[in-house]
Amino acid sequence: MSFDHAVGGTRDGARPRRLIVGITGSTGPILGIRLLEALGPLGVETHLVLSEWAERTIRIETSYTVAEVLDLASTHYDNRNQAAPISSGSFPVEGMIIIPCSMNTLAAVAHGIADNLIARAADVTLKERRRLLIVPRETPLSTIHLRNMLVLSDMGVSIVPPMPAFYNYPETVDDVVRHIVARVLDQFGIDNDLTVRWGTTRRLHSDGPRPRSRPTTVAP
């Protein structure tokens, strides 16, 4: 869908909620895909940018085509297009989510190297004092990675690593993915029912059967 025909829900008669979504080339593009699938029905206008390696990783790790992922967004841009609306602070958006975020992109954002549209849009988000959320995907983390995250955290960026929760008894990888997406949406105050919530839909000492862990065999 072109920008001219982008649509979304409104709040109090105002313009639609509008978010930039960047998907980079680290493992885990399904996180960004599930986020887009969640935001669409919620009436949030999404402006999507895929890096070159995000496109490749989508093909490697998921059953989606790149075209199918692009169609999930209200509109999308080429990562080389520095003239896109989202590269300007005069284009009003609520914030930006980079999910997943490679360490290369994280470093570029932390040090103001805006040499592609994802990094430029993040740079604009920071200078306009809008909410920026990053879902970093790497393990283990080096001292360089941690320092770059601290630089961004000091600027008010939300760092949301894709940490699984186990109090909700996830049975599939998608259960884990949905929980992470739910926590991302929570950061923007977007109501959702993607996951079991501690203290509401799941309580400590609640009754009911608990799945038994499978024994693990460790080689001698």
Side-chain angles (χ1 to χ4, degrees):
M1 181 181 296
S2 70
F3 169 69
D4 290 338
H5 295 89
V7 295
T10 61
R11 293 179 296 171
D12 301 324
R15 64 172 172 77
R17 298 193 73 167
R18 181 182 287 163
L19 291 174
I20 302 167
V21 177
I23 300 179
T24 68
S26 64
T27 188
I30 192 63
L31 294 164
I33 293 170
R34 288 286 183 267
L35 176 69
L36 291 168
E37 289 177 334
L39 289 172
L42 294 173
V44 179
E45 183 181 300
T46 50
H47 292 249
L48 174 65
V49 189
L50 302 180
S51 72
E52 175 186 352
W53 276 99
E55 295 185 7
R56 298 190 189 190
T57 309
I58 287 167
R59 297 187 186 101
I60 293 169
E61 293 188 1
T62 80
S63 60
Y64 291 79
T65 66
V66 171
E68 287 171 335
V69 175
L70 295 176
D71 283 344
L72 293 172
S74 304
T75 192
H76 57 83
Y77 311 97
D78 189 297
N79 196 32
R80 297 166 295 182
N81 182 13
Q82 295 276 27
I86 60 174
S87 70
S88 172
S90 65
F91 184 74
V93 299
E94 187 170 340
M96 179 175 184
I97 302 166
I98 307 178
I99 177 172
C101 182
S102 67
M103 294 300 102
N104 180 71
T105 297
L106 189 145
V109 175
H111 298 282
I113 304 173
D115 58 353
N116 58 53
L117 184 56
I118 292 176
R120 170 59 185 170
D123 190 60
V124 169
T125 301
L126 288 173
K127 79 181 182 67
E128 297 294 328
R129 300 293 194 269
R130 296 165 181 163
R131 180 177 290 277
L132 175 61
L133 185 147
I134 286 178
V135 180
R137 236 309 309 154
E138 186 60 275
T139 192
L141 295 167
S142 74
T143 302
I144 293 173
H145 301 152
L146 294 168
R147 284 175 177 163
N148 286 338
M149 289 184 199
L150 182 58
V151 167
L152 292 174
S153 181
D154 284 343
M155 288 189 283
V157 176
S158 296
I159 310 292
V160 184
M163 304 288 194
F166 297 99
Y167 58 78
N168 54 356
Y169 298 144
E171 296 181 355
T172 66
V173 172
D174 203 52
D175 289 340
V176 175
V177 169
R178 287 163 59 89
H179 179 83
I180 294 162
V181 171
R183 299 307 303 274
V184 169
L185 294 176
D186 289 347
Q187 290 290 304
F188 283 86
I190 299 174
D191 291 337
N192 67 90
D193 59 359
L194 293 177
T195 190
V196 173
R197 295 188 177 277
W198 187 257
T200 54
T201 51
R202 173 77 176 92
R203 298 180 184 278
L204 186 64
H205 307 310
S206 64
D207 295 329
R210 300 190 178 192
R212 305 181 70 170
S213 300
R214 296 180 180 178
T216 301
T217 302
V218 180

